[in-house]
Amino acid sequence: MKKFLSMVMAAAMVVSLVPATAFAAAGDFKATAKVVDAKNFAVDEIESGDSVDGSELQLTLTTADTLKGKDSLKFTLNFDNVVDFKGSELDKNAIYVKDGSDNVTPKFDITVEKTDDTEFEVTVAEKDSNVDAYARGQVIGIPLDNVCIDKVSKGKTATVSVDSDDATVTNGDDLVFASVESKGIKASVKDTVDVATEEVAEIKELKIEPAVGDTLGAVAKNGTDIRLKLNSGFEFVKSDLTLSTDKGTPVPDVAWDDDEVTFENIGDGITGAEWFKIAGLNVEATSAKSGSTATIKVYVDGNDTVSVEVAKVVDYTVSMSVDEDEDVPVIYSGVSVDNKGITDDSDHESLEVTIEESFAGAWNNSKDFTLSVPEGVYITDVVSPTLEESELNGYDDEKAWFEAAYEEGDYVDLTFKRRGWTETDPNGNGDASKDPAKLTFTLVLVADPNFEGDVTLKLTGDAVDEQEVTVAKFVKPYVVEAQQNDMQIDYRNTEIPTSVVVKEAEAGLWDKGTEFVLSLDKIDFDDEGKITVDNKSGLEVKDDEVKTTKVDGDDAVYFVVDSRSDDEAATVTISGLQLYMDRSLPAGAYDLEMVSPEMNKPYEETVVLNGTKDKVDGKNNRTIADINDDFVSYTAKAGFVNIVTAGREDTDSFTTKVVVPVGEKYVISGETKQEIPVPAYINADGYTMLPLRAVSVALGINSNNVLWDQATRTATVMYGSKIISMTYGQKVVYVNAAPIPASTSVEIKENRMFLGLRDLGNALGVTDITWDAATKTATLNGNK
């Protein structure tokens, strides 16, 4: 819906800028041209100046919606290799207009004007300009009778080209309506078949018939041979063959020689045969590689040799695809399939996915395979799953197969177990098909409120190459814009200096009665603040003063949509928010979260595909909430409130022993070994240098409270009521702006700041520090 509205708006803007005269330009509509019943003649069967009758030029209107109000269409016909017309040999009375099976010619006036020796203009005009007579799918038929061919030597063709100032004519160039060919044969197959290297495929009936004329000439004689020869890389596999004709079924001798098969001494009783058919030919791709084509040359006594492509070599693979011409569907995150809380009418369906073998037997059913969707995306249903050319083992139908796979994958992936379906047989033994297996399906999807972007379906497994296709795209129904606020504890009525802005994704999307709730973990909002709606969208809220509600025991603020937006997407600004911060809150960052109960609660209650955790009234009811265990909220702004000083002095809070071995990329915090990016070292002055951030975090300081200013190359540690800072190259540490001399200068190594062992301990208030020279290990013993 979002994409559709965007396209409509863009189209409207374009239309407003285009002058009215432009709508009469070529390309307002399209027509497809073709010749039906084209005539083929043998050399000497036709002479120059002979009339060619029976073929017909057809013009099909493929986009006629824009013809409303247009009175006439004009087409220009140019002929090539015809004798100059002696007047208008195109009979306007023979030209017709059909709409399906209905003849609608009486609705039009048809005229033909000769404009050059071999050029005509055909005009089809509405008789009643007040009635739109044109329609999509109409066929304008122009019989090409009494047109005389000029040159009649081998290979010559008579053609017609179609052009129009009113239309874009597809396939309008050099349409052949008569051709001259040498006497001989032609060969064809019902369809080319796929074959893998070192595999065998059966050719779908080889047919031999005259290129022109009525019979096969010398083939009708007793004793005639037919020889078939394959190109390099392919060989015939000896098999039972059937040779048939329209005059009977001869039983000739058959000689085999790897890449050749010869039918010798075709018997009597087939005089005047019009065609031969050979069934049962098997071809093996002995050494031909992927992309190669098997070609059979056909030799018949008394005729030219002809070739026909019968097979192509394909990789022995399984491929996954979607229709590239289809638009990727756009779905909203954090809402159920019923789109509760929003007005979108999306059915949450993905693009149709096709998984198919390149060759029968390529998909090994002795191996598992998995279909994966991104984390935070869930499958609620599968639409029209169909497995062609194969059968299921142990499942009632394809949907049951998918349901079992989703449960097997813990409702994260679709894990299809081995032997779940019958592997196709390339040789067609028993009842198994030798056509490649083909699986098609469409997924019904929902996504967490935080998920945004493409849904990439991934196919993996030992029997398949890993591959991906994009099947859908999720966007958030609302976007929150907010900034980080560094704040000190100020207990009640601590005002946040910045506003929170909530933007609607699309005009009219939020339904009336939809509620939006903003909360902070462990921090209460006071019931202070202002809610302002933009003055263009038309959206209204129930109250413009901030109100509070409870979320997980904390006071949160909310607003409720009272009437939907109209012309533009809405913007809601929440300003003047105030906090109540308990004195025991530790320093650190606190995320702003947003939830819409009308949207997100139904989403959490959505039953996933084959939700078999429990059954209520015989129905499955495993929901997204069962899988997640927690209600999913939308993280609107990470670190929205960053408390830089705690509510009380915490200088005695370090109780953890931290062991720092020199030269090792780890520290031991209590009983826990923590990896660090760079090790401690001993500097040129003999002092043990510790990585500031790694040791601070090991002692329990939030990483967000270890700050770095690249411009001044200064590090700052927010700890309790202390602000500790140090600058690269200086031999001093500042604690709450008071300078404390350091034993050695602050250093930077491998893009990390280092401070002397005892200097860091003194700054943080850790007084019990030991050094083991034998093991080169520093220990900071937290205060008891």
Side-chain angles (χ1 to χ4, degrees), residues 527-575:
D527 55 353
E528 297 290 338
K530 185 79 173 174
I531 300 173
T532 306
V533 182
D534 66 276
N535 57 9
K536 295 181 179 180
S537 66
L539 182 132
E540 296 179 359
V541 295
K542 286 190 175 180
D543 199 325
D544 60 2
E545 299 292 334
V546 164
K547 303 295 183 183
T548 60
T549 185
K550 289 289 185 181
V551 173
D552 295 333
D554 298 320
D555 286 337
V557 298
Y558 69 95
F559 66 88
V560 180
V561 176
D562 196 36
S563 64
R564 289 159 45 184
S565 60
D566 187 11
D567 297 330
E568 295 186 13
T571 298
V572 178
T573 302
I574 308 172
S575 57

Side-chain angles (χ1 to χ4, degrees), residues 36-52:
V36 297
D37 296 327
K39 302 305 176 183
N40 299 322
F41 300 95
V43 174
D44 300 331
E45 190 178 353
I46 189 171
E47 296 181 359
S48 177
D50 284 353
S51 175
V52 177

